[in-house]
Amino acid sequence: MAVTRERGRIRRVRPRELVADVDSARIAEAMEQVRHISKATLHDRLHRVRMATGLAVQAGLAALLAYLVSHRLLGNPQPVFAPISAVGTLAASVGQRFRRTVELILGVAIGVAIGDGLVYVLGTGAWQLGLVVTAAILLTIFAGASVAIVIQAAATAVLIVTLSPSTMNLEIPRFVDAFLGGGVALLVTAILLPLNPLRVLNRAARPALDLLATQLDATAEGLRNRDRARVQRALDRLRNNKSELDTFVEAIDGAKETATLSPARWHRRNELTHYAEAAEPIDRAMRNSGTLIRRAVTLIEDEEPVPEPMPDAVDHLAEAVRLLRHEFAVGDEPQQARERSLRAVSEAGRAYDEGVGFSGSVVVAQVRTAASDLLVASGIEQEEANRLIRQSFGDHNAPPGGRPEPDGGRPKP
């Protein structure tokens, strides 16, 4: 039976009470994690809504214009295909809308040809519908068409078979609507309502870079407190970064397409080029940071020394990521991000001097490598970035700036 002191007197604490206290602490920790997850989920959903608002408005305007042109100007009594084609074009992956328009028209042409040919020979009915769809898919795949063309050909063949008995001369309106819908979609995105490509990029880059910075912060704190669970959670979260990075890369493609098609955005081409060149080194920085965090977990498990400058180096790396995102967003030269990246390398050099184990040396090496990636993302050539990294690290028995072998001994110069 345990004994506690309460307000100057001794109180005996029963074992069951101690168990209750432990359970309460665990429950409190679990509830804190649940609250954090709930906040993150709500934040992610709101961010996705903000990201999709421009596309939703574009799609609504394109559907409206396609309907009006098809119905009022071309006299189509049932202008269904035109707005569907417009929305289908805009629903394509950002950066592929011109290609999607061409695929839409090709798919319609193939579907009309196959549907008309088989209907003429076989007539209409349930089994004819199944046969037409099967033939449309197999023939387009045999021709090496893309998935979008295959789907569009099959869908058009379905419409031809099912609507031909009740709608005469469906083929020509279907062609016209495909052209009309795709053309209106491109008109909306390029002329009438072009999105600001830099704003789109900034919104897309924020989740990826914030995710990286947050997990590096958690890793630094975990190293200071030797909190393996916290570092492991950071590693698990960073491993699930594919959606954030894919969104960023897709936004770059879309921004380049907008800057190419929209005269109002031509002046943004140089800035977009800078962003596009930053995508690959940011991807590398995330992967190298994943290696850093994984080795930090092993370092704590193996009870290796954690010199004070080591978590400081990881902290500086996290701040460099935030500064890079901010300076990209406002259009400034990322000087602060570069300076903070080099400071992270300098702290890593001090940690190496104070003495680290094998996993610690890998953490140091990955700080160097991730900092080099951030320098390249900021616009510095790789060779110059490597020189700056070596200079900032100092004249130490340094781990290599590249990727260390996982099963070797302590890295040597």
Side-chain angles (χ1 to χ4, degrees):
M1 182 176 292
V3 178
T4 62
R5 188 174 299 276
E6 183 179 304
R7 294 184 179 179
R9 62 189 179 86
I10 295 177
R11 182 172 72 89
R12 296 186 180 275
V13 180
R14 296 175 181 176
R16 183 174 297 178
E17 293 181 41
L18 291 175
V19 173
D21 289 342
V22 172
D23 288 344
S24 298
R26 290 174 179 171
I27 292 171
E29 181 181 359
M31 291 304 298
E32 180 63 29
Q33 293 176 13
V34 169
R35 283 192 290 270
H36 175 73
I37 292 172
S38 300
K39 290 179 181 178
T41 302
L42 178 60
H43 180 270
D44 291 343
R45 290 181 180 180
L46 291 175
H47 179 76
R48 287 197 294 270
V49 169
R50 287 194 296 270
M51 287 287 296
T53 298
L55 173 61
V57 174
Q58 284 183 332
L61 178 59
L64 169 64
L65 293 178
Y67 180 92
L68 291 177
V69 171
S70 181
H71 184 57
R72 300 287 178 84
L73 297 183
L74 302 181
N76 187 345
Q78 293 181 324
V80 177
F81 299 142
I84 289 177
S85 299
V87 174
T89 298
L90 284 168
S93 295
V94 180
Q96 299 179 7
R97 289 172 179 169
F98 183 78
R99 176 183 174 183
R100 175 57 64 90
T101 301
V102 175
E103 290 178 335
L104 182 71
I105 295 168
L106 288 176
V108 168
I110 295 171
V112 167
I114 294 174
D116 265 353
L118 292 181
V119 166
Y120 179 79
V121 174
L122 304 175
T124 60
W127 70 268
Q128 290 92 335
L129 172 62
L131 183 61
V132 166
V133 171
T134 302
I137 293 174
L138 293 179
L139 288 174
T140 48
I141 291 177
F142 177 78
S146 67
V147 175
I149 295 178
V150 172
I151 294 173
Q152 193 58 231
T156 300
V158 169
L159 293 171
I160 293 296
V161 175
T162 55
L163 297 183
S164 287
S166 59
T167 306
M168 301 300 296
N169 301 320
L170 178 65
E171 297 81 1
I172 294 178
R174 178 68 170 137
F175 267 120
V176 172
D177 282 348
F179 277 104
L180 175 62
V184 167
L186 292 179
L187 178 68
V188 168
T189 58
I191 305 297
L192 299 181
L193 197 63
L195 300 179
N196 185 331
L198 285 181
R199 184 176 300 168
V200 172
L201 280 175
N202 289 332
R203 287 178 178 174
R206 186 179 300 122
L209 295 178
D210 281 352
L211 171 68
L212 176 56
T214 301
Q215 305 321 313
L216 287 172
D217 278 337
T219 300
E221 192 63 26
L223 283 171
R224 287 192 181 94
N225 300 322
R226 290 188 170 274
D227 186 346
R228 181 203 174 280
R230 183 167 189 175
V231 181
Q232 183 64 54
R233 286 196 298 270
L235 177 61
D236 294 340
R237 182 66 186 93
L238 194 62
R239 281 173 172 168
N240 297 324
N241 72 335
K242 190 175 186 302
S243 60
E244 287 89 348
L245 192 62
D246 286 348
T247 300
F248 180 40
V249 173
E250 183 179 286
I252 290 175
D253 292 338
K256 288 193 291 187
E257 182 184 62
T258 300
T260 300
L261 297 177
S262 175
R265 305 300 183 191
W266 285 348
H267 66 287
R268 297 289 192 185
R269 288 179 179 175
N270 290 336
E271 295 169 86
L272 293 175
T273 299
H274 191 183
Y275 247 126
E277 292 173 349
E280 184 179 350
I282 287 175
D283 180 26
R284 292 200 306 267
M286 283 192 160
R287 287 187 278 112
N288 288 317
S289 296
T291 303
L292 184 159
I293 298 173
R294 184 169 65 251
R295 279 299 178 177
V297 173
T298 306
L299 181 156
I300 296 172
E301 289 175 342
D302 294 346
E303 299 183 351
E304 292 185 12
V306 182
E308 185 177 344
M310 181 183 289
D312 292 342
V314 179
D315 261 339
H316 287 306
L317 198 61
E319 187 61 22
V321 173
R322 288 195 183 88
L323 289 169
L324 184 67
R325 179 184 68 78
H326 172 72
E327 288 170 318
F328 269 173
V330 299
D332 290 344
E333 187 74 12
Q335 294 289 3
Q336 294 183 62
R338 293 167 182 164
E339 188 274 337
R340 194 56 67 100
S341 298
L342 296 176
R343 190 175 295 277
V345 174
S346 177
E347 291 295 324
R350 290 179 54 212
Y352 194 79
D353 272 351
E354 290 187 19
V356 294
F358 170 67
S359 293
S361 67
V362 177
V363 170
V364 169
Q366 293 306 125
V367 169
R368 285 168 54 106
T369 308
S372 176
D373 294 330
L374 294 178
L375 289 178
V376 174
S378 75
I380 295 178
E381 293 294 329
Q382 183 68 68
E383 185 176 349
E384 176 64 11
N386 291 341
R387 187 191 68 79
L388 292 171
I389 293 295
R390 288 192 295 269
Q391 178 180 328
S392 297
F393 192 81
D395 188 17
H396 310 298
N397 186 20
R403 296 160 184 76
E405 293 295 328
D407 298 322
R410 177 170 173 171
K412 298 298 180 183

